[in-house]
Short mmCIF file of all heavy atoms in Angstrom, two decimals:
data_model
loop_
_atom_site.label_atom_id
_atom_site.label_comp_id
_atom_site.label_asym_id
_atom_site.label_seq_id
_atom_site.Cartn_x
_atom_site.Cartn_y
_atom_site.Cartn_z
N LEU A 5 141.58 -12.20 -24.64
CA LEU A 5 142.64 -13.06 -24.24
C LEU A 5 143.11 -12.75 -22.89
O LEU A 5 143.35 -13.68 -22.02
CB LEU A 5 143.79 -12.99 -25.26
CG LEU A 5 144.94 -14.02 -25.15
CD1 LEU A 5 144.37 -15.35 -25.52
CD2 LEU A 5 146.03 -13.63 -26.06
N LEU A 6 143.34 -11.47 -22.55
CA LEU A 6 143.82 -11.11 -21.21
C LEU A 6 142.85 -11.40 -20.05
O LEU A 6 143.19 -11.82 -19.01
CB LEU A 6 144.12 -9.57 -21.16
CG LEU A 6 145.40 -9.20 -21.95
CD1 LEU A 6 145.53 -7.68 -21.96
CD2 LEU A 6 146.63 -9.83 -21.41
N PHE A 7 141.52 -11.23 -20.38
CA PHE A 7 140.55 -11.53 -19.32
C PHE A 7 140.34 -13.02 -19.10
O PHE A 7 139.78 -13.38 -17.99
CB PHE A 7 139.25 -10.83 -19.60
CG PHE A 7 139.25 -9.31 -19.36
CD1 PHE A 7 138.81 -8.44 -20.46
CD2 PHE A 7 139.70 -8.72 -18.18
CE1 PHE A 7 138.87 -7.14 -20.16
CE2 PHE A 7 139.74 -7.44 -17.98
CZ PHE A 7 139.23 -6.60 -18.95
N SER A 8 140.65 -13.76 -20.10
CA SER A 8 140.43 -15.21 -19.91
C SER A 8 141.66 -16.05 -19.57
O SER A 8 141.62 -17.30 -19.48
CB SER A 8 139.74 -15.82 -21.15
OG SER A 8 140.66 -15.69 -22.21
N ILE A 9 142.84 -15.44 -19.43
CA ILE A 9 144.07 -16.14 -19.05
C ILE A 9 143.86 -16.71 -17.66
O ILE A 9 143.52 -16.06 -16.66
CB ILE A 9 145.28 -15.16 -19.11
CG1 ILE A 9 145.64 -14.87 -20.48
CG2 ILE A 9 146.51 -15.75 -18.30
CD1 ILE A 9 146.83 -13.93 -20.75
N GLY A 10 144.20 -17.97 -17.44
CA GLY A 10 144.22 -18.66 -16.18
C GLY A 10 142.83 -19.23 -15.87
O GLY A 10 142.76 -19.95 -14.90
N LYS A 11 141.76 -18.84 -16.57
CA LYS A 11 140.48 -19.42 -16.35
C LYS A 11 140.08 -20.48 -17.39
O LYS A 11 139.15 -21.28 -17.05
CB LYS A 11 139.44 -18.34 -16.38
CG LYS A 11 139.60 -17.27 -15.34
CD LYS A 11 138.59 -16.18 -15.46
CE LYS A 11 138.99 -14.97 -14.53
NZ LYS A 11 138.06 -13.85 -14.71
N ASN A 12 140.73 -20.42 -18.48
CA ASN A 12 140.33 -21.37 -19.59
C ASN A 12 141.59 -22.06 -20.18
O ASN A 12 142.66 -21.46 -20.07
CB ASN A 12 139.59 -20.65 -20.64
CG ASN A 12 138.30 -20.04 -20.19
OD1 ASN A 12 137.46 -20.67 -19.50
ND2 ASN A 12 138.03 -18.75 -20.55
N PRO A 13 141.44 -23.13 -20.80
CA PRO A 13 142.56 -23.70 -21.53
C PRO A 13 142.98 -22.87 -22.72
O PRO A 13 142.23 -22.06 -23.19
CB PRO A 13 142.07 -25.17 -21.88
CG PRO A 13 140.66 -25.29 -21.47
CD PRO A 13 140.27 -24.07 -20.76
N LEU A 14 144.14 -23.09 -23.24
CA LEU A 14 144.67 -22.27 -24.31
C LEU A 14 143.78 -22.33 -25.64
O LEU A 14 143.52 -21.35 -26.22
CB LEU A 14 146.14 -22.81 -24.73
CG LEU A 14 146.82 -21.97 -25.82
CD1 LEU A 14 147.00 -20.50 -25.36
CD2 LEU A 14 148.11 -22.61 -26.13
N SER A 15 143.25 -23.55 -25.88
CA SER A 15 142.41 -23.64 -27.12
C SER A 15 141.15 -22.82 -26.96
O SER A 15 140.71 -22.19 -27.90
CB SER A 15 142.12 -25.09 -27.39
OG SER A 15 141.36 -25.66 -26.32
N VAL A 16 140.51 -22.83 -25.74
CA VAL A 16 139.33 -22.02 -25.55
C VAL A 16 139.62 -20.48 -25.59
O VAL A 16 138.91 -19.71 -26.20
CB VAL A 16 138.67 -22.46 -24.16
CG1 VAL A 16 137.46 -21.52 -23.93
CG2 VAL A 16 138.23 -23.89 -24.29
N MET A 17 140.73 -20.12 -24.98
CA MET A 17 141.15 -18.72 -25.09
C MET A 17 141.36 -18.22 -26.48
O MET A 17 140.88 -17.18 -26.82
CB MET A 17 142.47 -18.50 -24.29
CG MET A 17 142.33 -18.54 -22.76
SD MET A 17 143.72 -18.05 -21.84
CE MET A 17 145.11 -18.84 -22.73
N LEU A 18 142.00 -19.02 -27.32
CA LEU A 18 142.30 -18.57 -28.65
C LEU A 18 140.95 -18.55 -29.50
O LEU A 18 140.78 -17.75 -30.36
CB LEU A 18 143.33 -19.53 -29.29
CG LEU A 18 144.66 -19.41 -28.78
CD1 LEU A 18 145.59 -20.48 -29.39
CD2 LEU A 18 145.25 -18.05 -28.97
N MET A 19 140.15 -19.57 -29.27
CA MET A 19 138.82 -19.59 -29.98
C MET A 19 137.94 -18.32 -29.65
O MET A 19 137.37 -17.75 -30.48
CB MET A 19 138.03 -20.92 -29.60
CG MET A 19 136.76 -21.02 -30.42
SD MET A 19 136.97 -21.24 -32.13
CE MET A 19 137.26 -23.01 -32.10
N ARG A 20 137.90 -17.99 -28.40
CA ARG A 20 137.11 -16.85 -27.88
C ARG A 20 137.73 -15.56 -28.40
O ARG A 20 137.03 -14.60 -28.75
CB ARG A 20 136.92 -16.85 -26.38
CG ARG A 20 135.98 -17.93 -25.94
CD ARG A 20 135.76 -17.96 -24.50
NE ARG A 20 134.90 -19.04 -24.09
CZ ARG A 20 134.73 -19.38 -22.83
NH1 ARG A 20 135.19 -18.76 -21.87
NH2 ARG A 20 133.81 -20.38 -22.61
N SER A 21 139.12 -15.53 -28.47
CA SER A 21 139.72 -14.29 -29.00
C SER A 21 139.44 -14.15 -30.47
O SER A 21 139.26 -13.02 -30.95
CB SER A 21 141.23 -14.42 -28.73
OG SER A 21 141.51 -14.44 -27.40
N MET A 22 139.36 -15.23 -31.19
CA MET A 22 139.00 -15.20 -32.63
C MET A 22 137.57 -14.70 -32.80
O MET A 22 137.34 -13.83 -33.64
CB MET A 22 139.20 -16.51 -33.31
CG MET A 22 138.97 -16.54 -34.78
SD MET A 22 139.13 -18.07 -35.59
CE MET A 22 137.70 -18.91 -34.94
N TYR A 23 136.66 -15.23 -32.00
CA TYR A 23 135.24 -14.73 -32.06
C TYR A 23 135.16 -13.29 -31.70
O TYR A 23 134.36 -12.49 -32.29
CB TYR A 23 134.34 -15.59 -31.05
CG TYR A 23 134.11 -17.02 -31.54
CD1 TYR A 23 133.89 -17.95 -30.55
CD2 TYR A 23 134.14 -17.39 -32.92
CE1 TYR A 23 133.66 -19.25 -30.95
CE2 TYR A 23 133.92 -18.68 -33.18
CZ TYR A 23 133.68 -19.64 -32.33
OH TYR A 23 133.49 -20.93 -32.69
N ALA A 24 135.99 -12.81 -30.68
CA ALA A 24 135.92 -11.46 -30.22
C ALA A 24 136.52 -10.59 -31.44
O ALA A 24 135.92 -9.47 -31.63
CB ALA A 24 136.76 -11.23 -29.01
N PHE A 25 137.58 -11.03 -32.05
CA PHE A 25 138.16 -10.32 -33.27
C PHE A 25 137.06 -10.11 -34.32
O PHE A 25 136.81 -9.01 -34.79
CB PHE A 25 139.31 -11.04 -33.81
CG PHE A 25 139.88 -10.44 -35.05
CD1 PHE A 25 140.71 -9.30 -34.89
CD2 PHE A 25 139.53 -10.86 -36.30
CE1 PHE A 25 141.26 -8.78 -36.01
CE2 PHE A 25 140.17 -10.26 -37.38
CZ PHE A 25 140.91 -9.19 -37.26
N ILE A 26 136.34 -11.18 -34.65
CA ILE A 26 135.29 -11.05 -35.71
C ILE A 26 134.16 -10.14 -35.25
O ILE A 26 133.71 -9.33 -36.03
CB ILE A 26 134.71 -12.45 -36.04
CG1 ILE A 26 135.92 -13.35 -36.67
CG2 ILE A 26 133.46 -12.39 -36.93
CD1 ILE A 26 135.50 -14.75 -36.84
N ALA A 27 133.79 -10.19 -33.92
CA ALA A 27 132.66 -9.37 -33.48
C ALA A 27 133.08 -7.92 -33.44
O ALA A 27 132.30 -6.99 -33.83
CB ALA A 27 132.30 -9.82 -32.08
N PHE A 28 134.36 -7.63 -33.03
CA PHE A 28 134.76 -6.24 -32.97
C PHE A 28 134.98 -5.67 -34.25
O PHE A 28 134.70 -4.43 -34.58
CB PHE A 28 136.08 -6.12 -32.14
CG PHE A 28 135.80 -5.95 -30.70
CD1 PHE A 28 135.47 -7.13 -29.84
CD2 PHE A 28 135.81 -4.77 -29.96
CE1 PHE A 28 135.23 -6.97 -28.46
CE2 PHE A 28 135.63 -4.63 -28.67
CZ PHE A 28 135.33 -5.78 -27.91
N VAL A 29 135.39 -6.44 -35.31
CA VAL A 29 135.51 -5.98 -36.73
C VAL A 29 134.14 -5.60 -37.21
O VAL A 29 133.98 -4.61 -37.85
CB VAL A 29 136.22 -7.00 -37.57
CG1 VAL A 29 136.08 -6.62 -39.08
CG2 VAL A 29 137.72 -7.06 -37.23
N ALA A 30 133.10 -6.37 -36.96
CA ALA A 30 131.78 -6.18 -37.40
C ALA A 30 131.20 -4.94 -36.75
O ALA A 30 130.56 -4.04 -37.38
CB ALA A 30 130.90 -7.35 -37.09
N ILE A 31 131.49 -4.80 -35.40
CA ILE A 31 130.96 -3.62 -34.64
C ILE A 31 131.63 -2.33 -35.25
O ILE A 31 130.96 -1.33 -35.42
CB ILE A 31 131.23 -3.76 -33.19
CG1 ILE A 31 130.27 -4.82 -32.60
CG2 ILE A 31 131.05 -2.47 -32.42
CD1 ILE A 31 130.60 -5.17 -31.15
N ALA A 32 132.96 -2.41 -35.50
CA ALA A 32 133.64 -1.24 -36.08
C ALA A 32 133.10 -0.98 -37.45
O ALA A 32 132.97 0.30 -37.74
CB ALA A 32 135.13 -1.52 -36.17
N PHE A 33 132.81 -1.95 -38.26
CA PHE A 33 132.26 -1.62 -39.58
C PHE A 33 130.93 -0.92 -39.45
O PHE A 33 130.63 0.05 -40.18
CB PHE A 33 132.07 -2.95 -40.39
CG PHE A 33 131.59 -2.82 -41.74
CD1 PHE A 33 132.37 -2.28 -42.74
CD2 PHE A 33 130.19 -3.03 -41.98
CE1 PHE A 33 131.85 -2.07 -44.01
CE2 PHE A 33 129.71 -2.88 -43.27
CZ PHE A 33 130.54 -2.40 -44.30
N VAL A 34 130.07 -1.40 -38.60
CA VAL A 34 128.70 -0.78 -38.45
C VAL A 34 128.84 0.61 -37.91
O VAL A 34 128.21 1.54 -38.40
CB VAL A 34 127.82 -1.65 -37.50
CG1 VAL A 34 126.61 -0.95 -37.08
CG2 VAL A 34 127.57 -2.98 -38.11
N MET A 35 129.82 0.76 -36.92
CA MET A 35 129.97 2.15 -36.37
C MET A 35 130.54 3.11 -37.39
O MET A 35 130.02 4.30 -37.51
CB MET A 35 130.87 2.11 -35.15
CG MET A 35 130.17 1.49 -33.86
SD MET A 35 131.20 1.42 -32.50
CE MET A 35 131.48 3.19 -32.13
N ARG A 36 131.40 2.67 -38.26
CA ARG A 36 131.94 3.52 -39.32
C ARG A 36 130.84 3.83 -40.33
O ARG A 36 130.76 4.99 -40.84
CB ARG A 36 133.11 2.82 -40.05
CG ARG A 36 134.41 2.93 -39.24
CD ARG A 36 135.57 2.26 -39.94
NE ARG A 36 135.58 2.72 -41.31
CZ ARG A 36 135.96 1.99 -42.36
NH1 ARG A 36 136.24 0.72 -42.23
NH2 ARG A 36 136.03 2.43 -43.58
N PHE A 37 130.02 2.88 -40.67
CA PHE A 37 128.97 3.13 -41.57
C PHE A 37 127.94 4.17 -41.01
O PHE A 37 127.47 5.05 -41.71
CB PHE A 37 128.24 1.80 -41.85
CG PHE A 37 126.99 2.04 -42.74
CD1 PHE A 37 127.17 2.16 -44.15
CD2 PHE A 37 125.71 2.02 -42.29
CE1 PHE A 37 126.08 2.33 -45.05
CE2 PHE A 37 124.61 2.12 -43.10
CZ PHE A 37 124.81 2.30 -44.48
N LEU A 38 127.59 3.97 -39.72
CA LEU A 38 126.68 4.94 -39.14
C LEU A 38 127.29 6.33 -38.99
O LEU A 38 126.54 7.35 -39.17
CB LEU A 38 126.21 4.46 -37.72
CG LEU A 38 125.37 3.25 -37.68
CD1 LEU A 38 125.08 2.77 -36.24
CD2 LEU A 38 123.95 3.48 -38.34
N LEU A 39 128.54 6.45 -38.64
CA LEU A 39 129.25 7.72 -38.58
C LEU A 39 129.24 8.39 -39.93
O LEU A 39 128.98 9.60 -40.11
CB LEU A 39 130.61 7.54 -38.08
CG LEU A 39 131.37 8.79 -37.79
CD1 LEU A 39 130.69 9.51 -36.58
CD2 LEU A 39 132.88 8.36 -37.33
N ALA A 40 129.55 7.62 -41.02
CA ALA A 40 129.47 8.16 -42.39
C ALA A 40 128.08 8.63 -42.65
O ALA A 40 127.94 9.70 -43.37
CB ALA A 40 130.01 7.18 -43.39
N PHE A 41 127.08 7.95 -42.31
CA PHE A 41 125.73 8.35 -42.62
C PHE A 41 125.26 9.60 -41.90
O PHE A 41 124.65 10.40 -42.40
CB PHE A 41 124.77 7.16 -42.23
CG PHE A 41 123.32 7.43 -42.59
CD1 PHE A 41 122.88 7.36 -43.92
CD2 PHE A 41 122.43 7.73 -41.56
CE1 PHE A 41 121.53 7.60 -44.18
CE2 PHE A 41 121.09 8.00 -41.85
CZ PHE A 41 120.70 7.85 -43.18
#
């Protein structure tokens, strides 16, 4: 959201932030799984 402020409209910023949230949650899950392994 911070990196896309001023470059994109509000709807695009929120959509990309939601995709980033989902991607980072998935990455954190995989990293926790690997760390536990």
Side-chain angles (χ1 to χ4, degrees):
L5 188 68
L6 290 175
F7 285 128
S8 63
I9 287 179
K11 298 177 187 173
N12 297 315
L14 184 61
S15 62
V16 173
M17 286 190 315
L18 293 176
M19 183 67 80
R20 289 183 180 170
S21 294
M22 185 181 67
Y23 291 151
F25 176 81
I26 293 170
F28 274 79
V29 167
I31 289 171
F33 181 78
V34 170
M35 288 182 64
R36 282 182 49 217
F37 178 77
L38 290 175
L39 188 63
F41 183 75

